[in-house]
Amino acid sequence: MPKWVSGKEVSEEEIENSLKAIKESVCFKCTEHSDKCSIAKAAAHINSMKE
């Protein structure tokens, strides 16, 4: 089971739920994406836990 930065073990379902929440509720849906976006960075970090 992957671990978050705090050391907490998270399930695949928790990862998917977090990514879904980011896309649906947290993202500002800008017209252009930026590599400086902290929301996108968090999503990428969470997504990388699936590997």
Side-chain angles (χ1 to χ4, degrees), residues 3-30:
K3 290 186 179 182
W4 185 235
V5 295
S6 66
K8 177 187 180 207
E9 291 187 350
V10 293
S11 68
E12 186 78 22
E13 182 179 2
E14 289 174 305
I15 291 170
E16 290 301 324
N17 289 342
S18 291
L19 291 171
K20 182 178 177 183
I22 287 172
K23 291 176 188 173
E24 294 178 359
S25 302
V26 179
C27 178
F28 294 119
K29 298 174 181 44
C30 301

